[in-house]
Amino acid sequence: MPHVVVKLWPGRNDEIKTNLAKRIANVVVEELKVDIGDVSVAFEEVSSSDWGEKVYKKEIRDNEAVYFKPNYEYK
């Protein structure tokens, strides 16, 4: 606890993902006051053609648990 999942379009290399995962983990440690060993960060790549249906409509649009929403819409 906690586990963070970052969904994004494919194309970032492992170095970028590793660096971002470390930064996210460090912010989680600082804000939630947990040990770094308790934090995990995963990446799930979703193609741009699937983003609207699989991510935006199902997980973002009407989800009150999303505290920071994007300023785009998929119809």
Side-chain angles (χ1 to χ4, degrees):
M1 169 343 245
H3 176 63
V4 178
V5 177
V6 177
K7 295 188 179 191
L8 71 167
W9 290 355
R12 276 51 171 224
N13 64 37
D14 286 340
E15 181 180 3
I16 290 170
K17 292 179 193 174
T18 298
N19 290 336
L20 180 56
K22 288 177 184 177
R23 293 179 71 184
I24 290 169
N26 285 323
V27 170
V28 169
V29 165
E30 181 180 321
E31 293 296 326
L32 300 183
K33 309 296 187 232
V34 296
D35 292 330
I36 192 74
D38 295 334
V39 179
S40 54
V41 179
F43 290 90
E44 183 179 327
E45 293 185 343
V46 179
S47 70
S48 60
S49 60
D50 289 336
W51 189 265
E53 288 297 321
K54 291 185 177 179
V55 179
Y56 184 79
K57 290 180 181 178
K58 288 186 176 183
E59 298 185 34
I60 297 171
R61 183 176 58 194
D62 298 322
N63 187 346
E64 292 180 12
V66 176
Y67 279 76
F68 190 87
K69 292 195 177 191
N71 62 357
Y72 63 83
E73 286 189 39
Y74 280 87
K75 306 275 180 186

